[in-house]
Each structure stands twice: as C-alpha cells, then as structure tokens.
Amino acid sequence: FIVCFLFGHSIMPITTPARPLPPRLSRSAAGSTLITPMRTVDVTTPGGTYAVRIGTGLLAGAGAALRELGLGPKVAVVADAPVAERYGAALLESLAATGHDAFLLTVPPGEATKNLRQHAELCSALASRALGRDAVLVALGGGVIGDLAGYVAASYLRGIAFVQIPTTLGWWKAP
C-alpha cells in the first residue's frame, strides 16, 4: 500500500506489497497530535488508494504514523549526504521515540547514484542488519532517492514496506 505525508514542503508515501491501506490516516486512539496535517488528499490508482498528508511538522510525527500503520519495528532510512545531514537526525529521533529500531544509509547525491552497484550495496546493508519482510525502507529525499530506494524495497526479499519522504515539492501551473 502507499501513504503520503507532506511536511513543510515535502511528501511521504508508504508502500507495502501485502497489507491493505486504511483509506485515510487519523489521530491515534490516544488523540496524538504529533501529526497535524493541513489537509489529506486520497489518491486512487488501479493498485489501490493512498493518502497524501499536507502540513507542517509531519516529519516529527513520522514515527507515530508508522506505528499507527503497524509498520516496523526495523526501519532503514536511505538519503543522500546533503539530505541526511539536514533531516536525518530529526527523522531518526522521531522513529526512536516510537520504539522503531532505525538506522540511516547514506548514498552519494545525483542521478549517477541510480545504478545496480548502489542497489546491491543497499540490499547488502539491509541483509547485514538482518532486516526481514516486516522491515520498512524509508526514502528520505525525492527523485533519485525515491527511485533507488523504491526499487530496493520492491526487490529486497520480494518486497518490503516502503515509505517515501521527498524533501522538495514542485509547484506548477497546468497549461
């Protein structure tokens, strides 16, 4: 399944091959306000429905969102070096606060990073940490990172849950 969150000016989808997605994320039963979206947009595709949450402060609530969806406990975060430096610690802190066993894998920035060698290195890193099918792979960053991490999540052990947190969001006007 796929769920998207926007924090500041970014988006976070969650994808997993085997579990159904709640049509919309909501506050926890305890009334948690860690995730306070400005709005939620449901997107329907042939493969199912996913939610896009748009708002501020959502990165700090990423761990709670994963917990509410029953994802984890092991979480691998993939980011390029500049994004890892800017957002990595905050995301790892959010995940740790909700009991996730999370770690950061950093790759070089740029289009050249999308290659089979980097894919193999990431799969090897997941295996060396004994991540199983219940693990989650988080792509922290857009474009290249989302493509690379999405492919890794889809192919590692025949597919593990995938969360995408792009750090930029382009705005455009339709012609």
Side-chain angles (χ1 to χ4, degrees), residues 114-128:
K114 289 195 302 189
N115 61 63
L116 290 176
R117 180 187 53 76
Q118 194 65 62
H119 172 273
E121 288 178 12
L122 289 171
C123 286
S124 179
L126 300 180
S128 72

PDB file of all heavy atoms in Angstrom, residues 114-128:
ATOM      1  N   LYS A 114      21.732   6.141  -9.214  1.00  0.00           N
ATOM      2  CA  LYS A 114      20.767   5.111  -9.612  1.00  0.00           C
ATOM      3  C   LYS A 114      21.481   4.089 -10.495  1.00  0.00           C
ATOM      4  O   LYS A 114      21.540   4.239 -11.714  1.00  0.00           O
ATOM      5  CB  LYS A 114      19.585   5.725 -10.374  1.00  0.00           C
ATOM      6  CG  LYS A 114      18.671   6.534  -9.524  1.00  0.00           C
ATOM      7  CD  LYS A 114      17.345   6.843 -10.174  1.00  0.00           C
ATOM      8  CE  LYS A 114      17.436   7.574 -11.479  1.00  0.00           C
ATOM      9  NZ  LYS A 114      16.112   8.030 -11.966  1.00  0.00           N
ATOM     10  N   ASN A 115      22.041   3.068  -9.859  1.00  0.00           N
ATOM     11  CA  ASN A 115      22.725   2.024 -10.611  1.00  0.00           C
ATOM     12  C   ASN A 115      22.649   0.712  -9.835  1.00  0.00           C
ATOM     13  O   ASN A 115      22.307   0.689  -8.656  1.00  0.00           O
ATOM     14  CB  ASN A 115      24.185   2.423 -10.897  1.00  0.00           C
ATOM     15  CG  ASN A 115      24.995   2.628  -9.639  1.00  0.00           C
ATOM     16  OD1 ASN A 115      25.189   1.692  -8.864  1.00  0.00           O
ATOM     17  ND2 ASN A 115      25.466   3.850  -9.410  1.00  0.00           N
ATOM     18  N   LEU A 116      22.959  -0.368 -10.518  1.00  0.00           N
ATOM     19  CA  LEU A 116      22.847  -1.694  -9.900  1.00  0.00           C
ATOM     20  C   LEU A 116      23.864  -1.899  -8.781  1.00  0.00           C
ATOM     21  O   LEU A 116      23.582  -2.614  -7.822  1.00  0.00           O
ATOM     22  CB  LEU A 116      22.978  -2.779 -10.960  1.00  0.00           C
ATOM     23  CG  LEU A 116      21.788  -2.869 -11.923  1.00  0.00           C
ATOM     24  CD1 LEU A 116      22.061  -3.909 -13.008  1.00  0.00           C
ATOM     25  CD2 LEU A 116      20.508  -3.198 -11.180  1.00  0.00           C
ATOM     26  N   ARG A 117      25.025  -1.290  -8.878  1.00  0.00           N
ATOM     27  CA  ARG A 117      26.022  -1.419  -7.812  1.00  0.00           C
ATOM     28  C   ARG A 117      25.478  -0.819  -6.514  1.00  0.00           C
ATOM     29  O   ARG A 117      25.559  -1.431  -5.445  1.00  0.00           O
ATOM     30  CB  ARG A 117      27.343  -0.743  -8.197  1.00  0.00           C
ATOM     31  CG  ARG A 117      28.420  -0.860  -7.107  1.00  0.00           C
ATOM     32  CD  ARG A 117      29.663  -0.045  -7.414  1.00  0.00           C
ATOM     33  NE  ARG A 117      29.395   1.354  -7.703  1.00  0.00           N
ATOM     34  CZ  ARG A 117      29.106   2.279  -6.779  1.00  0.00           C
ATOM     35  NH1 ARG A 117      29.008   1.953  -5.505  1.00  0.00           N
ATOM     36  NH2 ARG A 117      28.881   3.529  -7.122  1.00  0.00           N
ATOM     37  N   GLN A 118      24.878   0.377  -6.608  1.00  0.00           N
ATOM     38  CA  GLN A 118      24.323   1.018  -5.414  1.00  0.00           C
ATOM     39  C   GLN A 118      23.143   0.208  -4.881  1.00  0.00           C
ATOM     40  O   GLN A 118      22.979   0.065  -3.672  1.00  0.00           O
ATOM     41  CB  GLN A 118      23.874   2.447  -5.738  1.00  0.00           C
ATOM     42  CG  GLN A 118      23.601   3.271  -4.519  1.00  0.00           C
ATOM     43  CD  GLN A 118      24.839   3.503  -3.688  1.00  0.00           C
ATOM     44  OE1 GLN A 118      25.798   4.098  -4.129  1.00  0.00           O
ATOM     45  NE2 GLN A 118      24.817   3.013  -2.462  1.00  0.00           N
ATOM     46  N   HIS A 119      22.323  -0.345  -5.772  1.00  0.00           N
ATOM     47  CA  HIS A 119      21.214  -1.212  -5.376  1.00  0.00           C
ATOM     48  C   HIS A 119      21.746  -2.399  -4.584  1.00  0.00           C
ATOM     49  O   HIS A 119      21.225  -2.726  -3.514  1.00  0.00           O
ATOM     50  CB  HIS A 119      20.443  -1.677  -6.621  1.00  0.00           C
ATOM     51  CG  HIS A 119      19.406  -2.705  -6.343  1.00  0.00           C
ATOM     52  ND1 HIS A 119      19.686  -4.051  -6.320  1.00  0.00           N
ATOM     53  CD2 HIS A 119      18.085  -2.591  -6.058  1.00  0.00           C
ATOM     54  CE1 HIS A 119      18.580  -4.723  -6.043  1.00  0.00           C
ATOM     55  NE2 HIS A 119      17.593  -3.863  -5.884  1.00  0.00           N
ATOM     56  N   ALA A 120      22.782  -3.039  -5.108  1.00  0.00           N
ATOM     57  CA  ALA A 120      23.363  -4.209  -4.436  1.00  0.00           C
ATOM     58  C   ALA A 120      23.939  -3.829  -3.071  1.00  0.00           C
ATOM     59  O   ALA A 120      23.786  -4.577  -2.095  1.00  0.00           O
ATOM     60  CB  ALA A 120      24.436  -4.849  -5.311  1.00  0.00           C
ATOM     61  N   GLU A 121      24.587  -2.671  -2.989  1.00  0.00           N
ATOM     62  CA  GLU A 121      25.154  -2.225  -1.710  1.00  0.00           C
ATOM     63  C   GLU A 121      24.052  -1.987  -0.673  1.00  0.00           C
ATOM     64  O   GLU A 121      24.203  -2.342   0.491  1.00  0.00           O
ATOM     65  CB  GLU A 121      25.995  -0.970  -1.906  1.00  0.00           C
ATOM     66  CG  GLU A 121      27.313  -1.239  -2.614  1.00  0.00           C
ATOM     67  CD  GLU A 121      28.132   0.021  -2.841  1.00  0.00           C
ATOM     68  OE1 GLU A 121      27.803   1.090  -2.252  1.00  0.00           O
ATOM     69  OE2 GLU A 121      29.101  -0.056  -3.611  1.00  0.00           O
ATOM     70  N   LEU A 122      22.955  -1.386  -1.107  1.00  0.00           N
ATOM     71  CA  LEU A 122      21.852  -1.154  -0.167  1.00  0.00           C
ATOM     72  C   LEU A 122      21.211  -2.468   0.271  1.00  0.00           C
ATOM     73  O   LEU A 122      20.942  -2.657   1.465  1.00  0.00           O
ATOM     74  CB  LEU A 122      20.809  -0.221  -0.783  1.00  0.00           C
ATOM     75  CG  LEU A 122      21.246   1.238  -0.940  1.00  0.00           C
ATOM     76  CD1 LEU A 122      20.222   2.021  -1.753  1.00  0.00           C
ATOM     77  CD2 LEU A 122      21.467   1.890   0.418  1.00  0.00           C
ATOM     78  N   CYS A 123      20.996  -3.383  -0.658  1.00  0.00           N
ATOM     79  CA  CYS A 123      20.444  -4.698  -0.293  1.00  0.00           C
ATOM     80  C   CYS A 123      21.376  -5.424   0.672  1.00  0.00           C
ATOM     81  O   CYS A 123      20.924  -6.041   1.642  1.00  0.00           O
ATOM     82  CB  CYS A 123      20.190  -5.544  -1.543  1.00  0.00           C
ATOM     83  SG  CYS A 123      18.767  -5.016  -2.499  1.00  0.00           S
ATOM     84  N   SER A 124      22.666  -5.335   0.421  1.00  0.00           N
ATOM     85  CA  SER A 124      23.650  -5.967   1.311  1.00  0.00           C
ATOM     86  C   SER A 124      23.601  -5.349   2.707  1.00  0.00           C
ATOM     87  O   SER A 124      23.679  -6.054   3.715  1.00  0.00           O
ATOM     88  CB  SER A 124      25.046  -5.829   0.705  1.00  0.00           C
ATOM     89  OG  SER A 124      26.004  -6.397   1.552  1.00  0.00           O
ATOM     90  N   ALA A 125      23.444  -4.022   2.769  1.00  0.00           N
ATOM     91  CA  ALA A 125      23.359  -3.346   4.071  1.00  0.00           C
ATOM     92  C   ALA A 125      22.108  -3.783   4.831  1.00  0.00           C
ATOM     93  O   ALA A 125      22.150  -3.981   6.050  1.00  0.00           O
ATOM     94  CB  ALA A 125      23.360  -1.833   3.881  1.00  0.00           C
ATOM     95  N   LEU A 126      20.990  -3.958   4.118  1.00  0.00           N
ATOM     96  CA  LEU A 126      19.769  -4.427   4.771  1.00  0.00           C
ATOM     97  C   LEU A 126      19.956  -5.844   5.294  1.00  0.00           C
ATOM     98  O   LEU A 126      19.551  -6.165   6.418  1.00  0.00           O
ATOM     99  CB  LEU A 126      18.585  -4.369   3.793  1.00  0.00           C
ATOM    100  CG  LEU A 126      18.217  -3.001   3.217  1.00  0.00           C
ATOM    101  CD1 LEU A 126      17.031  -3.128   2.265  1.00  0.00           C
ATOM    102  CD2 LEU A 126      17.944  -1.984   4.299  1.00  0.00           C
ATOM    103  N   ALA A 127      20.571  -6.692   4.485  1.00  0.00           N
ATOM    104  CA  ALA A 127      20.800  -8.081   4.895  1.00  0.00           C
ATOM    105  C   ALA A 127      21.761  -8.157   6.074  1.00  0.00           C
ATOM    106  O   ALA A 127      21.560  -8.966   6.988  1.00  0.00           O
ATOM    107  CB  ALA A 127      21.328  -8.891   3.717  1.00  0.00           C
ATOM    108  N   SER A 128      22.781  -7.314   6.083  1.00  0.00           N
ATOM    109  CA  SER A 128      23.753  -7.352   7.176  1.00  0.00           C
ATOM    110  C   SER A 128      23.128  -6.939   8.507  1.00  0.00           C
ATOM    111  O   SER A 128      23.615  -7.303   9.566  1.00  0.00           O
ATOM    112  CB  SER A 128      24.957  -6.464   6.865  1.00  0.00           C
ATOM    113  OG  SER A 128      24.605  -5.097   6.949  1.00  0.00           O
TER     114      SER A 128
END
